[in-house]
Amino acid sequence: MKNIVYMDHNATAPIYPAVVDAMTHALSHVGNPSSVHRSGREARKLMEEAREQVARLVNVPSDWVIFTSGGTEADALALNGVDVDRVLVSSVEHAAVMQARDDLEVLEVDKNGVVSLEALEKALKGDDRATLVSIVGANNETGVIQPLKEIVEICHAHGALIHSDAVQLAGKCDFDMQSLGLDLISLSAHKLGGPQGVGALVKRAGLTLTPLNKGGGQERSMRGGTENLSGIVGFGAAVEEKRDFSAIKALRDELEVQIKALGAVVFGETVERIPNTSYFAIEGMASERQVMALDLAGVMVSAGSACSSGKVKASHVLKAMGVKDELAGSAIRVSLGWNSTKEDIDFFVQAYTKIVERVQARKTSHSNAA
């Protein structure tokens, strides 16, 4: 049995050994990709090979890919770089989108966290203002996948642009940006077994974008600053790794059978989800205490998003879904990945069962005392 079981891949996935090798090679190379001499040209070649690899992940031409420092910067560039009069987002977006602007208009979702197509249609109908809609591809907490095809059709029918934060979706499911008709998407390397600190905004041809970083002319003047060559090479290497998500889904489903037998409620289980994610709760078990207790048992999980300065806060996603506070305050997320095993599932279930039994024993004791 492992001493440590890591089940927080949606926060950051363990890096692939092949990615470490690729980055080590890139780090040993001297050369700025913008330099015209031989070393610079060789660095540029490494970077453009990685750009092609990332482009293939989402089936786009390589010149659509703009490398950034991560998904958060990509979201900020999308929401602030396009010249529009208003921006619509769903109520279950990642903080990277929710905090990108102060003037966002928020669309409601249903009890599963799926954006209301009726609300989107109503918000766009009869409004001639230039509009960008940003809808997350798959929620980082629940794993729920949004109906992007239908959303794109509604947006384009009303002349609106559509961006999707695809950080959790791309690489975990079949994803084709061009077939879906999306105008912009955001990606991140470290969710896929690549390095932290590198991502991409993918922008379709013909769409004008104003850069946030205006110095140096890098990334076709879309993002000034010397490129993170080793990180970009690692990003490319990560997307080349083959993942068996049917096996990962089987592990996730097995976990859910066992935790539901203990009384857990699984959020979003009746709609399409990415195959590695389970967000669930048993009322009366505080999220933060569960995360700490599991940590002491050697299991790494989260209470939702990892972008809250290390603190467990009430989930705005569950609130938007109409989940009552008592249940939402007991939610934890398990997210699996390329190195997850059945042994990990068994280890987690054993540790989680002990926590549930301790809580139930305390409730029984208090009830008898009363």
Side-chain angles (χ1 to χ4, degrees):
M1 187 69 70
K2 298 179 182 178
N3 293 323
I4 297 294
V5 171
Y6 186 80
M7 308 180 87
D8 200 14
H9 283 245
N10 284 11
T12 195
I15 197 164
Y16 285 104
V19 171
V20 175
D21 292 342
M23 293 180 69
T24 300
H25 171 70
L27 285 167
S28 67
H29 181 82
V30 178
N32 187 315
S34 296
S35 298
V36 297
H37 51 61
R38 182 182 303 172
S39 288
R41 294 196 305 272
E42 290 174 353
R44 170 67 62 176
K45 181 180 178 182
L46 289 174
M47 188 172 74
E48 295 309 320
E49 288 173 350
R51 196 186 307 275
E52 291 175 1
Q53 290 169 322
V54 173
R56 285 197 296 270
L57 175 69
V58 294
N59 190 33
V60 298
S62 62
D63 61 1
W64 289 22
V65 176
I66 303 165
F67 286 119
T68 67
S69 65
T72 298
E73 184 189 338
D75 288 340
L77 180 54
L79 269 65
N80 295 284
V82 177
D83 184 17
V84 293
D85 298 317
R86 65 173 183 157
V87 178
L88 305 179
V89 303
S90 81
S91 56
V92 294
E93 296 300 309
H94 191 278
V97 166
M98 286 297 208
Q99 297 177 20
R101 296 176 60 127
D102 296 328
D103 59 348
L104 300 175
E105 298 179 36
V106 181
L107 301 166
E108 64 186 35
V109 298
D110 65 18
K111 64 181 181 179
N112 290 307
V114 177
V115 68
S116 168
L117 299 181
E118 292 77 15
L120 175 61
E121 180 87 39
K122 182 179 179 181
L124 293 174
K125 188 175 182 179
D127 194 316
D128 295 330
R129 288 177 293 172
T131 301
L132 173 69
V133 177
S134 182
I135 304 294
V136 67
N139 185 264
N140 62 300
E141 295 183 25
T142 63
V144 168
I145 297 173
Q146 297 292 342
L148 290 178
K149 189 69 174 178
E150 292 85 349
I151 289 168
V152 169
E153 290 173 354
I154 292 171
C155 290
H156 287 172
H158 292 281
L161 297 172
I162 174 68
H163 162 261
S164 182
D165 181 329
V167 163
Q168 297 292 350
L169 181 58
K172 295 175 183 172
C173 297
D174 291 336
F175 184 86
D176 188 321
M177 179 180 174
Q178 293 193 89
S179 292
L180 288 169
L182 291 158
D183 297 300
L184 305 117
I185 64 169
S186 300
L187 303 173
S188 179
H190 75 106
K191 309 298 187 180
L192 302 172
Q196 298 174 0
V198 61
L201 178 66
V202 186
K203 176 185 76 70
R204 68 160 171 81
L207 182 60
T208 300
L209 194 68
T210 300
L212 301 182
N213 296 344
K214 300 180 180 179
Q218 289 85 359
E219 294 303 287
R220 300 182 305 284
S221 296
M222 288 294 98
R223 199 241 186 203
T226 301
E227 295 94 344
N228 173 10
L229 180 62
S230 62
I232 289 169
V233 168
F235 191 178
V239 302
E240 290 294 299
E241 292 296 312
K242 304 302 179 186
R243 304 163 183 83
D244 184 358
F245 276 99
S246 61
I248 293 173
K249 182 180 184 299
L251 292 176
R252 192 273 308 273
D253 292 349
E254 180 180 342
L255 179 146
E256 290 186 346
V257 168
Q258 297 191 62
I259 61 170
K260 282 161 58 175
L262 295 171
V265 174
V266 178
F267 303 110
E269 68 170 327
T270 61
V271 294
E272 187 179 10
R273 292 178 291 161
I274 50 177
N276 76 316
T277 303
S278 183
Y279 197 32
F280 53 89
I282 295 178
E283 190 171 323
M285 296 171 53
S287 302
E288 187 168 13
R289 290 185 179 179
Q290 290 182 75
V291 172
M292 289 173 14
L294 287 166
D295 188 16
L296 290 172
V299 184
M300 312 295 112
V301 301
S302 81
S305 175
C307 299
S308 301
S309 66
K311 297 181 180 179
V312 175
K313 298 180 181 180
S315 169
H316 75 281
V317 172
L318 295 183
K319 183 176 181 180
M321 292 165 60
V323 177
K324 61 182 182 178
D325 292 342
E326 293 80 1
L327 189 60
S330 300
I332 62 172
R333 181 191 68 191
V334 167
S335 50
L336 310 176
W338 64 269
N339 62 347
S340 298
T341 65
K342 185 179 184 304
E343 183 183 41
D344 294 344
I345 303 302
D346 294 340
F347 193 102
F348 169 82
V349 171
Q350 290 173 16
Y352 187 65
T353 299
K354 290 178 182 178
I355 295 171
V356 173
E357 290 174 345
R358 286 200 299 268
V359 171
Q360 291 175 340
R362 283 199 299 269
K363 287 182 179 179
T364 300
S365 177
H366 292 160
S367 177
N368 291 339

